[in-house]
Amino acid sequence: PALLTRPQGTKITHMASEAERKKVALRRLGDATFSKVDKVSAELFSLTYGAVVTQLLKDYEDVAAANVQLEKMGYNMGVRMVDELLAKASLAQCASFSETAEVVAKVGFKMFLGVNVEVAAATSSEFRLLLSENPLAEFVELPEEHSKLEYSGLLCGVLRGALEMVQMRVECSLLRDTLWGDEVTEIRVLLKERLVEEFVDDDE
């Protein structure tokens, strides 16, 4: 009798379809979570952020220094925002760094910015986020003297702060930006260390 053999690629196809189902589920969770949060108009949000960036440039009179401050500002926001995300989205612990990437893209960005973000080049230690829409940069053009401004660097800080609160020390960098003439805004997230939560005995 002929031996039954599994067609080549069946296991890979099954794994791929499972990954797609998870992405769809996360996208739906992001939509549901977004519906629970208070909204502000995109124009007001963009103009308010623009005023903050303008003030930083006036205060520091240096683009590089303003970039540092925007990232720090984002970090402080991310530290606080992660609690709201975990509470409203009822997320389970991620099994891998690439799964973390999908949660950040499909749930986090959707909940706080109302945009869909794609994940690219995800590995066990790195991923990239591609934003075809960026509410921070609406109605904005960078003058020549500020062409090196990392206008969306705030997002890098938010990611660093939020992930640190869930025991992941990461390095985030803005690789591309629509304000620099690129087609999309691209953020690289590199895992540097998994932190160990320390518990202090109250009796000590």
Side-chain angles (χ1 to χ4, degrees), residues 108-181:
F109 272 87
K110 184 67 176 183
M111 175 177 169
F112 291 109
L113 288 181
V115 297
N116 295 310
V117 175
E118 295 301 320
V119 176
T123 69
S124 60
S125 61
E126 179 184 347
F127 62 82
R128 300 186 183 198
L129 300 172
L130 306 178
L131 290 77
S132 55
E133 302 174 79
N134 182 2
L136 294 182
E138 291 289 331
F139 318 109
V140 177
E141 288 185 14
L142 294 181
E144 183 61 32
E145 64 269 24
H146 297 147
S147 60
K148 300 296 185 182
L149 179 66
E150 294 184 0
Y151 194 85
S152 299
L154 180 93
L155 299 177
C156 294
V158 169
L159 289 166
R160 184 168 71 89
L163 290 174
E164 190 171 299
M165 290 300 98
V166 289
Q167 312 307 311
M168 285 177 273
R169 186 171 69 83
V170 301
E171 180 182 286
C172 301
S173 51
L174 195 63
L175 300 183
R176 292 190 286 165
D177 195 326
T178 53
L179 296 180
W180 297 341

Side-chain angles (χ1 to χ4, degrees), residues 18-31:
E18 180 64 25
E20 286 304 315
R21 280 195 291 271
K22 285 184 178 180
K23 289 180 184 180
V24 170
L26 286 173
R27 196 172 289 117
R28 288 175 179 166
L29 178 59
D31 291 339

Side-chain angles (χ1 to χ4, degrees), residues 76-89:
N76 291 330
M77 292 171 62
V79 166
R80 298 190 302 271
M81 291 163 68
V82 69
D83 286 335
E84 185 178 357
L85 172 65
L86 294 174
K88 290 188 174 175

